[in-house]
Amino acid sequence: MRAMAVAALALVFAAVLTLTVGVREGGFALLWQALTAFDPTDPAHIAIHSIRMPRLIAGLIAGAALGMAGTIMQAITRNPLADPGILGINAGAAFAVVIGSLIAGRADNGLMAALAFPGAAAAAVAVFALGGGLKGDAGPVRLTLAGVALSAMLLSFVSAIILARNEALEVFRFWVTGSLAQAGMRPLGYMAVAAVFGSALAIAIAPRIEALSLGSALARGLGTNPGRIQFGALVAVTALTGAAVGVAGPVAFLGLLVPRLARRVGGHVLRRELIASAILGAAILLFADTIGRLVTPPAEIRVGTMTALIGAPMFIWMARRLRAGAGA
Amino acid sequence: MTSANNALKAENLTIGYGERTVIDNLSLDFPAGRMTAILGPNGCGKSTLLRALARLITPEKGTVTLGSDNIFSMDTRALARRLAILPQASKAPEGITVADLVRRGRTPWRGLFSAWSEADAAAVERALKEVGLTDMSERPIDQLSGGQRQRAWIALVLAQDTPCLLLDEPTTWLDLTHQIEVLSLVRERNRNQGVTVVTVLHDLNLAARFYDRLVLLGPNGMVAAGSPQDVLTEENLMTGFGLSAMVLPDPITGTPMVVPR
């Protein structure tokens, strides 16, 4: 319980940093003023409301959603390397959005929202099929390889399309490496609804996922239906990942980092782990975003790059550990 | 609790994998409140039979009834509240504690949005006490010895709190002391609460000591079913296992003891 409180405090701190860092001088006092006594003629107040607030909301949605999605995926696949980025689900959503908006010739929020979810779902199903998940339990290595391959393929398609269309570069770069910049342009409302739906579903079926993680025979003995749990988990992961990609683009590795930390906070009780994942995911994403804005001013490093900088070495370390351990 | 409602009954079961028929037209009673062990050589279909009794596999023909209900037409959760199965060699999530593992035995008693209840907590506490792991409940499973780990798995199905308990080779990989420990605690649950127990076992002498009834399956179907004295005869051992053995009374319990020649 104390760990959960510490995590929540870290999130509040990260949120305050997101709102205040880089907003000229004034810091916290200015933030307080902008929140309690908004002055529409003060450019600093306007910056906080129209730029920082959407950025914060996008970070909260994407971070919480990716953290929870990673935790569900790791529980259901019994694979510590499962992550929406690594398993290609982010890439599926991004790919569907880019292709779809090219075909439609427009890139409005409603369209993006409508495309991100089927893209995420299709990629999730494809990876499980390729990784042998349909025939029984997919081994962690096979599943991970299938995901990395699919992810690389889809993102390189997206890059190829973008590079061929000069005018679209700025707009579409977002779909290759996630970013919280210009969050005000994203469909925050739709995606918040999807993220809340995905979280509620995940929390509802969490005890059944726990049963399933003991193996499908024992899970059935405990009165659950493995096929139905897997389907529910797929819907939850799709809603969460689609929401995250919709507001922040594909952000890799967050779903890999967060579940390990969340387990320390929540223990082996999946509902607590999910809540901890949401808090920690949002906090880490916001911290990473703030650091990305500080290191090379006035330019900023995209948050998708920041999470990869932290996450990639972690991934290598975990993959090595996996091989050294029991393997399964 | 020893009502006939907790009796398991296999009727004309035929089970096969593809072309191969493993169980052919088998009918068997597993009386309520008694402990029955299923014995036989490797590949004779012991585990297959047990899995069919728990509805983990669907037979080609025949049915299984629990009391007066056909288990194949029961609601999944309703069945899980009456019958628990511990499959062979289950694997725990990395780093999970004993208590968190055992709590998962309460799954069939929990609704989609219902919180952890007093009854859940009491069942988990009692199960931990029965297997003697109360003091180790906060320890990670992977830090326990093999015997303790197996007791934790048994506590999981005990926490499920069903009047019918199926165990698939619960003593495999354990040394003799721990085998006896595990079978003793299962028998204690049976004696105290009248739970119907069906277990697949390898050790004939332990089966004779701990179980009320034995079922011996051979390569060509069932060889014998009944009391240990009736089942463990030299003739049946030859038919079932192709084993030439003497059967003597166990000097301690008087139950039959198999001594291979």
Side-chain angles (χ1 to χ4, degrees):
Chain A
M1 231 45 240
R2 194 189 301 154
M4 195 75 90
V6 171
L9 274 178
L11 176 57
V12 171
F13 184 56
V16 169
L17 285 184
T18 297
L19 291 176
T20 54
V21 164
V23 188
R24 290 183 289 160
E25 298 82 49
F28 193 74
L30 179 68
L31 170 65
W32 188 250
Q33 245 178 22
L35 292 180
T36 54
F38 177 58
D39 175 3
T41 59
D42 186 333
H45 285 200
I46 291 172
I48 285 176
H49 270 257
S50 62
I51 297 175
R52 293 312 170 82
M53 266 308 192
R55 191 166 193 139
L56 171 65
I57 292 165
L60 289 173
I61 294 173
L66 288 174
M68 292 177 95
T71 294
I72 302 169
M73 289 169 73
Q74 294 191 7
I76 204 121
T77 61
R78 298 211 259 178
N79 181 350
L81 300 181
D83 159 73
I86 293 167
L87 291 195
I89 302 174
N90 279 343
F95 179 75
V97 168
V98 169
I99 293 287
S101 14
L102 271 184
I103 292 171
R106 60 200 174 94
D108 56 273
N109 280 344
L111 183 70
M112 285 187 216
L115 291 167
F117 298 104
V125 171
V127 161
F128 278 95
L130 288 170
L134 299 180
K135 272 182 270 165
D137 46 342
V141 177
R142 262 188 86 178
L143 193 67
T144 310
L145 284 177
V148 170
L150 184 76
S151 183
M153 189 179 79
L154 292 175
L155 286 180
S156 62
F157 278 141
V158 173
S159 297
I161 294 162
I162 293 168
L163 290 175
R165 298 169 61 90
N166 239 338
E167 81 282 3
L169 190 62
E170 223 1 85
V171 181
F172 282 140
R173 197 168 65 171
F174 172 77
W175 298 105
V176 181
T177 312
S179 165
L180 293 179
Q182 296 167 331
M185 293 165 53
R186 313 291 165 208
L188 295 180
Y190 291 121
M191 295 308 174
V193 172
V196 167
F197 165 74
S199 316
L201 179 60
I203 284 175
I205 65 173
R208 279 135 219 253
I209 295 178
E210 286 179 330
L212 187 57
S213 69
L214 302 175
S216 68
L218 191 48
R220 289 174 59 191
L222 289 169
T224 63
N225 181 333
R228 219 181 291 165
I229 301 168
Q230 278 162 343
F231 180 73
L234 175 73
V235 172
V237 165
T238 300
L240 291 166
T241 309
V245 174
V247 297
V251 174
F253 297 111
L254 195 64
L256 180 77
L257 293 167
V258 168
R260 291 190 76 80
L261 298 171
R263 177 152 287 172
R264 299 203 166 182
V265 175
H268 265 84
V269 179
L270 192 53
R271 278 186 179 158
R272 283 211 300 264
E273 282 179 63
L274 283 168
I275 292 164
S277 297
I279 296 172
L280 290 167
I284 291 173
L285 193 70
L286 290 175
F287 276 127
D289 182 52
T290 303
I291 294 168
R293 283 194 286 137
L294 287 177
V295 281
T296 56
E300 60 180 63
I301 299 179
R302 308 168 78 81
V303 74
T305 308
M306 292 302 298
T307 58
L309 280 174
I310 312 166
M314 174 100 176
F315 177 60
I316 294 167
W317 177 74
M318 282 170 66
R320 284 180 58 86
R321 203 170 145 266
L322 187 74
R323 205 180 46 178
Chain B
M1 221 163 156
T2 324
S3 74
N5 214 20
N6 304 326
L8 264 176
K9 199 172 187 160
E11 289 168 43
N12 307 103
L13 272 192
T14 299
I15 309 168
Y17 297 109
E19 293 286 282
R20 201 168 84 91
T21 300
V22 183
I23 301 233
D24 191 11
N25 198 27
L26 179 73
S27 294
L28 259 177
D29 279 330
F30 300 90
R34 312 307 298 275
M35 292 187 50
T36 307
I38 304 173
L39 309 168
N42 292 327
C44 70
K46 302 184 296 284
S47 288
T48 304
L49 173 60
L50 193 80
R51 291 168 73 85
L53 294 176
R55 208 172 75 170
L56 295 184
I57 44 180
T58 311
E60 285 163 17
K61 283 195 210 110
T63 187
V64 175
T65 55
L66 175 58
S68 53
D69 303 304
N70 179 343
I71 64 165
F72 294 100
S73 52
M74 274 176 80
D75 171 67
T76 314
R77 209 136 66 96
L79 178 62
R81 289 179 177 191
R82 289 174 60 188
L83 182 149
I85 180 164
L86 182 61
Q88 241 181 86
S90 298
K91 227 183 123 212
E94 201 187 330
I96 192 171
T97 62
V98 174
D100 282 335
L101 182 75
V102 175
R103 282 188 194 115
R104 295 187 181 186
R106 297 302 296 170
T107 309
W109 298 96
R110 301 179 66 190
L112 206 49
F113 290 97
S114 66
W116 190 247
S117 73
E118 294 277 321
D120 292 330
V124 167
E125 204 172 304
R126 194 176 55 206
L128 284 169
K129 197 171 161 219
E130 281 179 69
V131 304
L133 288 179
T134 306
D135 294 337
M136 295 190 203
S137 62
E138 294 309 318
R139 292 259 293 269
I141 288 276
D142 22 25
Q143 285 178 15
L144 302 186
S145 72
Q148 291 166 339
R149 209 173 301 161
Q150 187 60 11
R151 269 152 51 201
W153 283 105
I154 293 191
L156 184 149
V157 282
L158 293 183
Q160 200 174 334
D161 213 3
T162 55
C164 195
L165 183 59
L166 274 47
L167 306 164
D168 197 352
E169 297 193 20
T171 55
T172 312
W173 312 118
L174 298 183
D175 60 43
L176 189 56
T177 315
H178 290 122
Q179 292 183 25
I180 290 174
E181 207 173 74
V182 162
L183 294 179
S184 304
L185 68 91
V186 171
R187 190 169 60 183
E188 213 161 298
R189 171 63 74 114
N190 162 265
R191 296 291 187 254
N192 293 340
Q193 297 185 35
V195 170
T196 308
V197 177
V198 182
T199 310
V200 170
L201 269 190
H202 266 302
D203 192 300
L204 303 178
N205 296 332
L206 285 181
R209 270 196 179 202
F210 282 93
Y211 285 77
D212 307 311
R213 285 172 51 87
L214 306 184
V215 172
L216 177 58
L217 300 181
N220 303 309
M222 188 170 74
V223 177
S227 71
Q229 282 78 5
D230 293 342
V231 173
L232 292 183
T233 64
E234 299 187 5
E235 201 188 337
N236 286 343
L237 290 168
M238 184 50 89
T239 318
F241 289 94
L243 176 75
S244 165
M246 273 174 80
V247 178
L248 309 167
D250 185 314
I252 294 172
T253 54
T255 52
M257 186 172 74
V258 176
V259 184
R261 279 184 221 273

